Amino acid sequence: MDSEKNSLITRAIKNDKEALGRLLRSIQGDIYSMLFYLKKDENDLSDLAQEILLKVSKKIYQLKNPKYFKTWLNQIIINSYYDYLRKQKKKNNYYDKNIEDRMFEIPDYRQNLSQNIIDNELDLIIKNSINNLPIKYKIPIALREIQGLSYDEISNLTKTSIGTVKSRISRARAKIKDDIDKYSRDV
């Protein structure tokens, strides 16, 4: 973690509102990235991200050591995601839309157009593959590949052994690779 972010966290813990605002703006992208790979339905992605930012702002003072901020933030994201799933299940309104119908990218004409199309398709395949993983694989792979957490950090967050974390990440990677290989054969 860089010293500026560390300073913002320390100041936010001490109830510095300006530092808290800057910190929340700086972590917004991290929250959206993680949720993007966890949620199948992007309709209320913004609502869930805002809910997480609100929890961070209300609970930041409870954080004792700024060094653990990233782990603490990811714990809030995971718990909020589980809460979201429970609410959706209660509403009996949990559904999966086809992501291709909802994602449109504006092509970057500075690069080769066909390469952009391939890259966008690959991104969709990876996101769909992660979304279709059982939750016990989805969370560890997202924490490792999207958030860049260590196996130890993931083990602590998910309350599972390091061996289990490594195994689940390995199985998730194998499934994603199979999905990519299947796509490559079909093209």
Side-chain angles (χ1 to χ4, degrees), residues 143-179:
L143 288 170
R144 180 73 179 165
E145 301 301 335
I146 310 306
Q147 296 291 24
L149 296 183
S150 70
Y151 292 118
D152 285 335
E153 291 170 316
I154 297 168
S155 174
N156 290 333
L157 280 171
T158 59
K159 296 175 180 43
T160 54
S161 71
I162 290 178
T164 300
V165 167
K166 288 180 178 180
S167 171
R168 288 177 179 176
I169 290 172
S170 176
R171 288 180 182 163
R173 285 177 178 156
K175 173 68 172 111
I176 293 166
K177 183 183 180 309
D178 286 347
D179 290 347

Side-chain angles (χ1 to χ4, degrees), residues 73-90:
L73 174 62
N74 281 304
Q75 187 67 60
I76 291 174
I77 294 169
I78 291 169
N79 289 343
S80 297
Y81 176 68
Y82 280 133
D83 290 346
Y84 167 82
L85 290 178
R86 281 189 288 274
K87 287 176 191 172
Q88 293 302 313
K89 201 168 194 170
K90 282 182 183 177

Side-chain angles (χ1 to χ4, degrees), residues 109-156:
Y109 292 107
R110 295 175 292 183
Q111 294 180 5
N112 181 330
L113 183 59
S114 62
Q115 186 61 47
N116 278 346
I117 292 169
I118 292 168
D119 290 347
N120 288 339
E121 286 182 25
L122 184 59
D123 287 345
L124 288 173
I125 291 163
I126 292 170
K127 183 174 189 316
N128 281 336
S129 185
I130 291 172
N131 274 325
N132 290 325
L133 290 170
I135 198 160
K136 69 182 184 179
Y137 300 120
K138 184 188 304 189
I139 288 178
I141 193 75
L143 288 170
R144 180 73 179 165
E145 301 301 335
I146 310 306
Q147 296 291 24
L149 296 183
S150 70
Y151 292 118
D152 285 335
E153 291 170 316
I154 297 168
S155 174
N156 290 333

Side-chain angles (χ1 to χ4, degrees), residues 9-70:
I9 294 166
T10 302
R11 290 174 36 215
I13 290 171
K14 294 177 182 174
N15 209 19
D16 180 333
K17 300 297 182 197
E18 189 260 330
L20 177 62
R22 288 179 49 203
L23 176 64
L24 293 176
R25 283 189 294 280
S26 75
I27 64 172
Q28 231 172 352
D30 295 337
I31 293 169
Y32 276 99
S33 294
M34 185 67 173
L35 292 176
F36 181 78
Y37 282 93
L38 290 177
K39 285 177 59 19
K40 290 183 181 182
D41 181 12
E42 295 173 24
N43 288 335
D44 37 328
L45 180 75
S46 180
D47 291 341
L48 185 53
Q50 291 302 316
E51 182 181 314
I52 291 167
L53 287 168
L54 184 62
K55 285 179 183 177
V56 169
S57 67
K58 286 182 175 181
K59 296 181 178 192
I60 187 82
Y61 71 91
Q62 296 174 347
L63 183 63
K64 303 295 182 220
N65 188 341
K67 175 174 114 175
Y68 300 113
F69 178 77
K70 191 171 186 177

